[in-house]
Amino acid sequence: MANPTAAILVIGDEILSGRTKDTNIAWMAEKLTELGIALKQARVISDEHQEIINHVRSLSAAYDYVFTSGGIGPTHDDITTVSVAAAFNVPVIQHPEAFQLLLDHYDGTDIKFTGARQKMADIPEGAALIDNPVSAAPGYIIENVHVMAGVPSIMQAMFEGLAPSLVGGTKPTRITVQCAIGEGTIADIMEAVSEAFESVSVGSYPWFKPGKFGTAVVLTGLNADVVRSAADSLTGQVKERGYGAEIQ
């Protein structure tokens, strides 16, 4: 059985301009892999209403899970929520539980619970909340779309709380074979192994060091025994040609 599939949608002009470096994709990709959820796409888009609507709709239709980050803060340019609601043709409401969470969070502090901060309690009607143990303002789930904050520490805390509710699959087995030769010389071997072991993904990653070069061949699949057999086959064929090859 194939693993559930997922897509990541990072929303924010600051990412596209280079002002902010995205780290959420790499972090989520690792966590999804551990859960046995196959990440198939990661997109970075601008803070534009119709863009968000289009991408949310297309990804939601194509994959089992969609995870978004960014654009659910208190400022005028945080338009993810209204756009996600529009994607599913539902209104945005002031969610009573979300409002109370924020009210409690700011109570007893010197920070005013302004109208802008109250905006963070606006949630698409019918959505379920995602807990935010860092700054209280919740994310939410609507259909198969999980909407989270863009700040990495907050997004990560949200995802960690969310993870136990996700239905995953088999954690992939990944084996690396370090080959002391360039990928062009063993390209036919990699192709033959890929064809012989159809359930195993064979990836080639050349590397260069002063006075040395080689290729890291990464074999990935859901059946550990099959992946091991593919790695053994590739290693043996590379060695037969007189080149060094070592399974790591």
Side-chain angles (χ1 to χ4, degrees):
M1 295 292 291
N3 279 351
T5 59
I8 295 171
L9 183 62
V10 176
I11 302 166
D13 292 339
E14 70 279 8
I15 303 295
L16 291 171
S17 71
R19 181 185 178 279
T20 300
K21 303 296 185 289
D22 174 73
T23 59
N24 290 338
I25 291 175
W27 188 90
M28 267 197 283
E30 183 177 347
K31 293 297 180 180
L32 290 170
T33 299
E34 291 175 0
L35 292 170
I37 298 173
L39 179 61
K40 295 298 186 179
Q41 278 204 53
R43 301 179 185 178
V44 182
I45 65 171
S46 61
D47 291 300
E48 294 182 24
H49 183 63
Q50 195 60 49
E51 280 286 291
I52 298 171
I53 291 172
N54 293 343
H55 287 280
V56 166
R57 284 177 175 168
S58 65
L59 293 175
S60 176
Y63 302 108
D64 297 309
Y65 294 109
V66 178
F67 301 92
T68 81
S69 69
I72 59 172
T75 58
H76 74 283
D77 57 339
D78 288 313
I79 62 169
T80 294
T81 292
V82 296
S83 303
V84 170
F88 291 105
N89 298 309
V90 298
V92 173
I93 63 167
Q94 186 179 82
H95 195 288
E97 183 182 348
F99 187 87
Q100 190 62 50
L101 286 168
L102 289 163
L103 189 63
D104 293 343
H105 177 73
Y106 289 108
D107 186 39
T109 72
D110 294 329
I111 303 173
K112 292 183 178 181
F113 189 32
T114 61
R117 294 190 173 98
Q118 291 174 31
K119 176 188 171 187
M120 294 187 291
D122 291 348
I123 306 290
E125 188 173 51
L129 300 184
I130 298 175
D131 182 47
N132 173 1
V134 178
S135 58
Y140 53 87
I141 306 167
I142 179 166
E143 296 197 17
N144 63 340
V145 178
H146 303 69
V147 178
M148 298 178 291
V151 177
S153 60
I154 300 176
M155 185 279 296
Q156 290 172 19
M158 285 182 172
F159 187 89
E160 293 288 11
L162 176 67
S165 68
L166 301 175
V167 178
T170 303
K171 181 179 178 180
T173 295
R174 182 177 291 121
I175 296 176
T176 299
V177 180
Q178 288 291 354
C179 303
I181 192 63
E183 62 181 353
T185 305
I186 57 171
D188 60 327
I189 295 176
M190 290 187 285
E191 183 177 4
V193 170
S194 179
E195 290 176 352
F197 299 88
E198 294 182 357
S199 64
V200 178
S201 170
V202 181
S204 173
Y205 305 92
W207 54 264
F208 302 89
K209 296 179 181 179
K212 295 182 179 181
F213 66 94
T215 306
V217 183
V218 179
L219 303 99
T220 308
L222 300 183
N223 186 310
D225 292 336
V226 174
V227 176
R228 170 59 68 169
S229 295
D232 288 340
S233 176
L234 185 138
T235 302
Q237 292 183 62
V238 172
K239 286 182 175 180
E240 286 175 3
R241 289 201 180 167
Y243 307 114
E246 181 182 359
I247 293 177
Q248 294 185 340

